[in-house]
Amino acid sequence: GAAESRRRRGGATARGAKKDKEKKQGTAYTDTVLLPQTAFDLRANATKREPEIQEFWASKNVYTQLREREAPMGRFSLHDGPPYANGSLHMG
C-alpha cells in the first residue's frame, strides 16, 4: 500500500532524517555568536503591549500635551506627493 511505496522511495523516514540533520546544523553556530544579554523580551507582544501603551498615553494625556506644545522649529507641513515642475500644488 501507501506505506510500502513511501518506504521504497525513502519517503517519511528520509525526510525526517534530513530535518534532524538540518536542526543539528542550525544549532552549530549557537555557541559562536555573541549576543548581548538584555532585560527586554525578544518578542514585541504587540497584542499585549498595545493596550498598556494606549492606557499609559491616556492616563498621562501625552497626545494632548504634544499637540499643545510649541513646535521647536516652527510649523511642519507634510506634502505627500511628487514635485510639480510646472508650478504650485493643485487638486485634481
Side-chain angles (χ1 to χ4, degrees):
E4 176 64 26
S5 64
R6 262 194 312 234
R7 216 179 354 260
R8 261 187 272 129
R9 290 188 313 234
T13 57
R15 276 188 234 122
K18 184 178 178 183
K19 284 184 180 180
D20 288 343
K21 184 177 179 183
E22 288 173 358
K23 190 182 287 187
K24 287 178 186 173
Q25 287 176 346
T27 59
Y29 296 109
T30 303
D31 297 330
T32 62
V33 177
L34 300 175
L35 297 174
Q37 298 298 316
T38 61
F40 59 87
D41 292 331
L42 296 178
R43 297 175 187 223
N45 289 331
T47 55
K48 177 185 162 212
R49 292 284 297 152
E50 184 65 23
E52 294 172 3
I53 293 168
Q54 293 291 327
E55 183 180 326
F56 172 80
W57 276 56
S59 69
K60 303 288 183 183
N61 290 326
V62 175
Y63 184 73
T64 305
Q65 290 176 19
L66 288 173
R67 295 289 297 161
E68 291 172 351
R69 187 170 35 167
E70 188 70 31
M73 298 180 71
R75 184 180 174 110
F76 176 79
S77 144
L78 173 69
H79 167 64
D80 185 20
Y84 296 100
N86 61 351
S88 61
L89 303 176
H90 60 276
M91 298 291 287

